[in-house]
Amino acid sequence: MSPMLAFWQFGSAGMLGWGMAAALPILIHLWSRRKYRQERWAAMAFLLAALRKNARRVQLEQWLLLAVRTSILLLFVVALADPRSTLLSSWADQRDGQAHVILVIDGSYSMDFRSGDSSRFQIAKKLARQLVADDAQGGAYSLVMMGRPPQVIISDPAFDRDDVLQEIDDLELRHSGADLPATLAEMEAILRRSKAQSFGRGRPSSWHVCFFSDLQETTWGDVTAPDCRAQLARLEPLATWQFIDLGEEGASNLAVARLEIDQPVVAAGRDVQIQADIQSYAGEDRLRQTVEFLVDGARITERRIDCPASGRVTVSVPHRFDTPGEHMVEVHLADDALPLDNRRWLSVPVRTSVRVLCIGGRPMETQYLALALAPQKMNAQHIEVVKAPESRLLDDELIAFDALALANIGRLSRVEAVAIHRFVHRGGGLLVFLGDQVQTENYNQVLVDDTTLRCLPARLTELASIGTYAFDALEYRHPIVAPFRGFPKSGLLTTPTWEYVRLTPLEGAKTALSFSSGDPAIVETQIGRGRCILVATAASPDSIVRGHGSPTAWTALPTWPSFPPLVHEMLRWSLTGRNADRNVSVGDDLTAIVPESESDATILLKGPSGPDERLPIRDEAGERRWVFNRPALSGVYEARLGPMAQHFAVNLDPSEGNLARLDPETLPSQFRHEADSGMREPATAASHDASSYFRWLLGAVFVLLMAEPCLAWLFGRGHT
Amino acid sequence: MESRTSIDPQTLAKIHGLRLRARHIVEGYVAGLHPSPYQGFSIEFAEHREYAPGDDLRYLDWKVFGRSDKVYLKQYEDETNLICYVALDVSESMTYAGPTAALSKLEYAQSIAAGLSWLVLRQQDAVGLATFDDRVRALIRPAGNPSHLEQLLSVMEAVRPGNKTAAGPIFHELAQRLTKRGVVIVLSDFFDDLASLAAGLTHFRHRKHDVMLLHVLDPAELEFPFRGLTDFVGLEECPAVPADPQIIRSAYLRELSQFRQALERECRRQAIDYFLVRTDQPLDVALSRVLATRQRSVR
């Protein structure tokens, strides 16, 4: 095939046979020359002079008319043949025999950006479809969608063009980012398998990779990383490369980057603050942007904000959930070119109250703690404290509580440790106060050393030497003590302590508060979805320093004014993971524990699109749980189990909304090698569809049809 | 005006014989005009002379006879009749008749010549005739007797068109041979070299002849109305030329127009009367223009 023909492909190539009809005007011209009628003529001198002086012009005009008439027929036939340009025409020359083309389409949600009627993703699909449909040589195709993780749609070379086109049509944009290294790894696997094996019609003889992407820096930034460079270097000799750039410079976007409530566990009837962060990825200020807040689908308020260029604005609105139960908060921005990140959801299971189980090593051990958590004088008890003996730790009813507070428990059995671990792992909050009964070896053994049951953030060592210690807030960096900043008279720093257990924080643990000796006083860490906070001293004055004169309490903390706010902050912090299962990101698993009381074997999950899905309930580590793996779409999911419904919010990663592009010059050589022929503006590329050529050609035919009689008149009768 | 339409070429073409055609022309023309065009050829009164037997009684001055009983004749300035020379082109190109023409250029020119001759002879002036193509085919000396017309008509009818036009040399020859001063009326399509033609006309003028050119052209030659590819077969030994008339029409008309304008300019320069005569025109129109011009020039 000649390069010229290779550039064009025809939907109805058979129609080109009618191109022979273009010879008709020439044949008619030649034939008519033989059909001259004779005329006797006297004024020959003038006729000969006219012919002599105008011979060249007459001939030129005749040729021009002939060319116009021939072109009319020729263009009409070509239009009927449905011409299409082969976007990747350069490959036609490179192909020698069977080709294996790997189509890699960027499925990150930035591809939903719309500069016209179509999104980048739709244009990418259209171009990929055109590439396959116009392939007259019948190549084999693989299809990969870049995502997090990448999705290999067609792994082995597919020779059936219709199948490939169907798969391209069925592609749906993911609401996630894209993992370039993982995508390259998948491609490498496909290429190496294709080169090593034979498929169906034999082993391909050439390999080509074609990327359709917006070259977004978030996705392609990794391309300059050493690992990625090495990957690309390995891939370069395996195939020829093509990059279809669908992005554009200067694209701007606003996104809802965060949506939270200031309380980790919300109790009905209590005022909360709903906070939303609006992130600008625009190069210019965006003024008077409307931010809508909705609860359970009903608009509660609207705010107008001025968003500075590349800045972030936090919008906070007060709200009170009057009824306990499942609630869904939603924030809306006015639609822009990338609408996907203009919405964000927050699932808020509202309780009647926050339930805390306090277990003490002695009957009065939790008295101060319970009083601090739920002062009796408060009118609305949004915290329900249940004081119980150690035996309650064996009870599976722990699931009914949001937090568990242990105070001066002497030793814990393995069974108890299992129950505690499971509780925290599920998202419960654990507060552990030490005291004079605590056997440090036992704690270390069952709650630290056994990694499968580890619950504590620090190893317990020995008792500190007796002395008077104050607290050090460590510059109020930690959220537990941060509220004390600016309130030196709150008493936190003046709280005297005479005895404590020295703690050695484990890896990942954070010290919120320390003693003036430098030893940690409060250490916390995340365990599973829950959080454990360990206090090095006692929660009651009942722990006594013995052996040195008169008995002295370990600490004055339980009776100190700083104790109630400190306990509340610890409880709040320990519950931050309480609803973590309800609010996840795209790509994270959706999961929930099913109470033992429910006997159903499946739950019904309703997503933001598509039909309801039945999910099995499985036993995992002694608990019944359902899991929905890696939801690909953002939105609200509802899990229904009998009459009980739980709402889940799946949100996308707002960083993908940053549409900044990678400089094409930083692309590796195999991409830049093809950039000249492959990189096109999306509008240009999109315009290369068959119908437009068809219309242009018919338009040209129409123009020529109009021009022909004018020219004939001008060259003939028009010369009067 | 009805009489004029009766001598249109279509009607004339139905009449056979030049004599009948000439009669038709003259009668139709005379009936349609007042006063008589004869005066165009009349000569100014000069003096009286005594009657001699054989003189035309029409010129008797009856008033003198009544006063003196003497018979005198009116004596005019030129005692002899005016001499009119009719030069008729009988070359092959004159035989052309276009698709819509009733008469060929030659037939039309013959009719004009015959009509003029008749009119001239009727007023007892002398008329001569020369037919020519590339040489003088016939030359009849001018005479004023009515029987002379028969001779003129028979010569014109006997014409056998043949060769190319070579008017320039012929005009030289005629200028040499027509020694007596008179009015030279040339009927031709003048498809000839303009310089040679101009030189021949100059010779006429040099001999003090009054010259009138009647440029006889077929409507097809003036309008070039052909359509479709045509092989133009040249008269006068020209080769056949294939052409698309619609494409070449404008250029051809431009060439013809330039030639006519040049010829007219030359005529104006030499004080020669030029008339374009289309063969689809009524013949009296052509005659009127000739005679009216002559009348103006005599006065």
Side-chain angles (χ1 to χ4, degrees):
Chain A
M1 185 182 290
S2 72
M4 192 63 192
L5 285 179
F7 186 78
W8 292 99
Q9 308 239 340
F10 297 91
S12 306
M15 293 303 297
L16 287 178
W18 289 97
M20 302 289 285
L24 271 178
I26 300 170
L27 291 175
I28 290 171
H29 176 74
L30 294 175
W31 179 75
S32 62
R33 291 179 73 92
R34 301 180 57 191
K35 299 295 288 180
Y36 279 80
R37 66 182 181 84
Q38 287 200 329
E39 178 74 34
R40 291 175 73 248
W41 190 245
M44 286 301 285
F46 308 116
L47 186 61
L48 286 170
L51 284 172
R52 191 171 54 250
K53 290 180 182 175
N54 295 278
R56 181 167 292 178
R57 179 185 64 82
V58 168
Q59 197 171 34
L60 200 66
E61 289 174 354
Q62 279 184 330
W63 284 355
L64 187 58
L65 266 180
L66 201 60
V68 168
R69 288 163 182 165
T70 307
S71 300
I72 288 171
L73 287 170
L74 204 58
L75 289 175
F76 186 65
V77 168
V78 173
L80 290 181
D82 195 8
R84 301 165 186 185
S85 77
T86 306
L87 190 65
L88 309 173
S89 56
S90 58
W91 286 2
D93 298 332
Q94 299 169 19
R95 291 189 189 182
D96 184 14
Q98 192 84 58
H100 180 193
V101 181
I102 302 172
L103 303 172
V104 186
I105 297 177
D106 188 347
S108 61
Y109 79 76
S110 65
M111 291 285 284
D112 194 46
F113 185 87
R114 293 154 193 269
S115 53
D117 293 337
S118 302
S119 68
R120 293 171 178 175
F121 187 67
Q122 287 167 328
I123 294 171
K125 282 172 65 173
K126 191 174 179 182
L127 293 177
R129 204 179 193 291
Q130 184 182 334
L131 172 65
V132 177
D134 293 352
D135 183 5
Q137 300 181 11
Y141 288 88
S142 289
L143 182 59
V144 177
M145 189 159 81
M146 293 179 77
R148 193 179 297 277
Q151 192 180 6
V152 179
I153 313 293
I154 304 174
S155 176
D156 293 340
F159 293 88
D160 190 323
R161 186 189 302 191
D162 291 339
D163 285 350
V164 178
L165 292 176
Q166 186 62 50
E167 291 292 353
I168 292 172
D169 289 342
D170 290 345
L171 285 181
E172 283 187 12
L173 190 75
R174 300 299 188 90
H175 294 185
S176 64
D179 188 341
L180 181 64
T183 306
L184 294 176
E186 294 287 3
M187 286 167 45
E188 186 173 359
I190 292 171
L191 281 169
R192 293 201 184 282
R193 195 163 55 249
S194 174
K195 284 176 175 283
Q197 299 176 14
S198 294
F199 300 93
R201 301 179 196 171
R203 199 172 75 87
S205 56
S206 62
W207 291 266
H208 312 279
V209 177
C210 183
F211 279 94
F212 301 85
S213 174
D214 57 3
L215 204 57
Q216 188 195 16
E217 191 160 11
T218 312
T219 302
W220 288 87
D222 287 339
V223 83
T224 53
D227 289 350
C228 208
R229 288 270 180 195
Q231 257 183 317
L232 286 166
R234 285 199 308 275
L235 280 166
E236 185 171 6
L238 299 180
T240 57
W241 298 75
Q242 190 84 12
F243 192 96
I244 310 298
D245 185 2
L246 300 165
E248 57 191 87
E249 296 292 345
S252 62
N253 180 38
L254 283 186
V256 183
R258 183 180 71 95
L259 175 60
E260 286 180 358
I261 287 180
D262 62 346
Q263 298 296 324
V265 175
V266 179
R270 192 168 183 221
D271 290 336
V272 295
Q273 290 286 327
I274 301 173
Q275 296 172 340
D277 284 359
I278 310 302
Q279 175 70 48
S280 167
Y281 296 114
E284 69 288 338
D285 293 349
R286 296 284 194 88
L287 305 178
R288 306 288 294 162
Q289 297 295 311
T290 304
V291 186
E292 268 189 327
F293 289 81
L294 300 92
V295 173
D296 300 328
R299 195 168 73 103
I300 58 166
T301 188
E302 179 183 289
R303 293 280 193 275
R304 289 198 179 270
I305 60 164
D306 294 337
C307 214
S310 303
R312 180 178 282 224
V313 174
T314 299
V315 187
S316 189
V317 297
H319 186 67
R320 176 184 293 176
F321 294 93
D322 293 325
T323 57
E326 298 289 326
H327 294 277
M328 185 61 69
V329 179
E330 186 178 348
V331 172
H332 267 193
L333 278 176
D335 274 350
D336 55 16
L338 182 58
L340 268 181
D341 59 4
N342 294 340
R343 303 174 77 183
R344 204 164 181 88
W345 297 266
L346 181 70
S347 175
V348 185
V350 177
R351 315 290 181 79
T352 307
S353 60
V354 178
R355 301 193 75 206
V356 182
L357 178 62
C358 295
I359 296 177
R362 285 187 289 247
M364 298 300 290
E365 201 70 48
T366 57
Q367 185 178 3
Y368 290 88
L369 184 60
L371 189 62
L373 284 169
Q376 288 177 350
K377 289 182 180 177
M378 287 183 66
N379 294 326
Q381 291 293 338
H382 69 278
I383 297 178
E384 179 188 353
V385 178
V386 177
K387 292 187 280 187
E390 288 182 52
S391 58
R392 197 70 179 267
L393 281 174
L394 300 176
D395 198 335
D396 286 341
E397 288 182 7
L398 275 183
I399 195 170
F401 291 93
D402 297 302
L404 173 64
L406 304 179
N408 198 16
I409 303 291
R411 56 179 294 121
L412 293 164
S413 67
R414 183 174 173 77
V415 176
E416 290 169 331
V418 168
I420 294 170
H421 180 267
R422 185 185 297 170
F423 172 76
V424 179
H425 207 265
R426 287 173 180 171
L430 175 64
L431 307 179
V432 179
F433 290 85
L434 301 180
D436 56 2
Q437 294 189 132
V438 170
Q439 298 178 19
T440 55
E441 295 80 7
N442 169 260
Y443 271 56
N444 288 335
Q445 190 178 352
V446 298
L447 297 178
V448 177
D449 294 339
D450 187 344
T451 53
T452 59
L453 298 177
R454 178 177 291 172
C455 291
L456 294 184
R459 174 179 291 279
L460 281 56
T461 55
E462 73 283 353
L463 289 174
S465 56
I466 298 170
T468 302
Y469 305 99
F471 287 135
D472 179 359
L474 302 176
E475 299 178 354
Y476 304 99
R477 286 192 297 268
H478 197 278
I480 292 176
V481 296
F484 290 91
R485 182 193 297 273
F487 299 99
K489 294 182 178 176
S490 63
L492 180 66
L493 302 182
T494 58
T495 309
T497 298
W498 296 279
E499 183 67 288
Y500 62 91
V501 178
R502 299 183 69 180
L503 304 176
T504 306
L506 299 174
E507 186 180 350
K510 290 177 182 172
T511 302
L513 191 69
S514 68
F515 292 109
S516 52
S517 61
D519 292 326
I522 299 176
V523 183
E524 63 88 15
T525 191
Q526 185 166 355
I527 307 291
R529 294 181 183 81
R531 197 169 283 277
C532 175
I533 300 173
L534 176 61
V535 183
T537 189
S540 78
D542 292 346
S543 290
I544 303 297
V545 180
R546 301 177 193 281
H548 293 280
S550 59
T552 308
W554 272 37
T555 177
L557 176 65
T559 57
W560 217 252
S562 59
F563 188 57
L566 185 62
V567 168
H568 276 271
E569 289 304 321
M570 284 196 292
L571 175 66
R572 192 185 65 80
W573 185 244
S574 72
L575 294 175
T576 50
R578 190 62 181 145
N579 293 321
D581 281 348
R582 299 300 193 91
N583 296 288
V584 300
S585 296
V586 173
D588 295 340
D589 290 346
L590 274 184
T591 185
I593 293 168
V594 180
E596 293 293 338
S597 55
E598 297 292 341
S599 57
D600 290 356
T602 58
I603 66 117
L604 193 65
L605 185 70
K606 184 177 182 180
S609 67
D612 296 351
E613 194 165 347
R614 286 198 169 277
L615 299 174
I617 297 172
R618 298 173 297 192
D619 280 330
E620 279 184 9
E623 60 190 17
R624 300 180 71 217
R625 180 179 287 276
W626 60 265
V627 179
F628 179 66
N629 290 316
R630 298 175 178 275
L633 304 179
S634 61
V636 177
Y637 291 73
E638 183 187 71
R640 188 167 285 280
L641 183 65
M644 186 186 78
Q646 290 180 313
H647 290 163
F648 296 82
V650 179
N651 290 298
L652 36 72
D653 178 4
S655 65
E656 181 70 17
N658 185 354
L659 301 174
R661 278 161 51 81
L662 187 76
D663 181 2
E665 290 301 314
T666 60
L667 282 175
S669 58
Q670 61 256 51
F671 292 113
R672 277 186 281 119
H673 175 67
E674 295 290 340
D676 290 342
S677 61
M679 295 181 89
R680 286 170 165 81
E681 290 297 320
T684 311
S687 68
H688 282 229
D689 61 346
S691 56
S692 62
Y693 286 121
F694 179 80
R695 282 195 291 271
W696 278 110
L697 286 168
L698 283 187
V701 169
F702 178 76
V703 169
L704 289 177
L705 278 173
M706 295 292 105
E708 194 273 344
C710 296
L711 289 175
W713 178 82
L714 193 67
F715 297 159
R717 279 162 287 185
H719 290 184
T720 54
Chain B
M1 300 309 283
E2 192 180 326
S3 60
R4 292 195 177 201
T5 56
S6 68
I7 49 174
D8 67 273
Q10 303 286 345
T11 309
L12 211 58
K14 296 171 186 169
I15 300 172
H16 295 286
L18 192 56
R19 183 182 179 79
L20 288 176
R21 284 181 183 174
R23 176 190 290 275
H24 186 84
I25 294 166
V26 170
E27 287 177 352
Y29 184 76
V30 170
L33 284 178
H34 301 282
S36 168
Y38 296 3
Q39 290 178 358
F41 283 90
S42 66
I43 319 163
E44 295 298 319
F45 172 80
E47 58 185 356
H48 289 98
R49 71 171 173 84
E50 281 187 315
Y51 172 75
D55 285 341
D56 192 336
L57 292 178
R58 286 182 301 173
Y59 297 105
L60 275 174
D61 193 335
W62 297 105
K63 290 180 181 175
V64 173
F65 178 71
R67 284 199 301 270
S68 61
D69 285 342
K70 289 181 180 176
V71 180
Y72 282 96
L73 291 178
K74 290 177 185 171
Q75 186 73 54
Y76 291 90
E77 190 173 321
D78 188 346
E79 208 164 345
T80 59
N81 287 340
L82 176 136
I83 299 171
C84 175
Y85 301 104
V86 176
L88 178 62
D89 182 358
V90 295
S91 64
E92 192 181 6
S93 67
M94 288 292 286
T95 64
Y96 178 74
T100 59
L103 298 173
S104 71
K105 290 190 285 185
L106 181 58
E107 288 171 325
Y108 193 95
Q110 281 174 330
S111 302
I112 294 278
L116 272 174
S117 301
W118 196 318
L119 288 173
V120 171
L121 285 173
R122 276 187 69 165
Q123 68 169 17
Q124 298 183 348
D125 287 327
V127 61
L129 175 68
T131 61
F132 65 93
D133 44 31
D134 58 348
R135 55 194 170 91
V136 177
R137 290 288 173 186
L139 179 62
I140 300 174
R141 292 286 171 186
N145 53 326
S147 61
H148 187 59
L149 181 64
E150 290 299 327
Q151 190 185 358
L152 295 176
L153 295 179
S154 60
V155 168
M156 280 192 264
E157 279 185 320
V159 159
R160 292 288 175 270
N163 296 336
K164 293 181 64 174
T165 310
I170 297 302
F171 289 170
H172 280 295
E173 184 183 341
L174 288 176
Q176 290 288 344
R177 293 172 69 176
L178 305 178
T179 51
K180 208 165 184 179
R181 179 175 167 254
V183 178
V184 179
I185 301 174
V186 186
L187 295 113
S188 172
D189 55 13
F190 299 110
F191 289 167
D192 196 4
D193 176 55
L194 185 61
S196 164
L197 203 61
L201 293 173
T202 305
H203 201 163
F204 274 133
R205 294 295 292 149
H206 182 69
R207 291 281 183 168
K208 307 293 184 187
H209 291 296
D210 287 338
V211 184
M212 302 171 76
L213 300 190
L214 271 63
H215 195 174
V216 183
L217 289 175
D218 190 276
E221 290 172 329
L222 287 164
E223 294 165 4
F224 210 66
F226 306 105
R227 297 179 69 110
L229 293 171
T230 307
D231 221 355
F232 290 96
V233 181
L235 303 175
E236 300 187 353
E237 300 171 3
C238 286
V241 176
D244 184 338
Q246 285 173 288
I247 292 176
I248 203 65
R249 179 173 182 268
S250 59
Y252 162 82
L253 292 179
R254 194 161 49 244
E255 290 292 324
L256 179 65
S257 173
Q258 285 173 357
F259 174 78
R260 278 184 48 221
Q261 287 170 3
L263 182 59
E264 270 194 274
R265 263 198 311 274
E266 185 60 33
C267 289
R268 263 199 309 277
R269 192 179 66 80
Q270 298 194 36
I272 293 172
D273 295 319
Y274 170 90
F275 304 102
L276 174 66
V277 179
R278 290 170 59 110
T279 61
D280 59 347
Q281 277 180 332
L283 278 85
D284 54 343
V285 173
L287 283 173
S288 298
R289 292 177 66 186
V290 172
L291 295 176
T293 304
R294 178 62 200 163
Q295 192 173 9
R296 280 199 302 273
S297 67
V298 168
R299 285 174 185 172

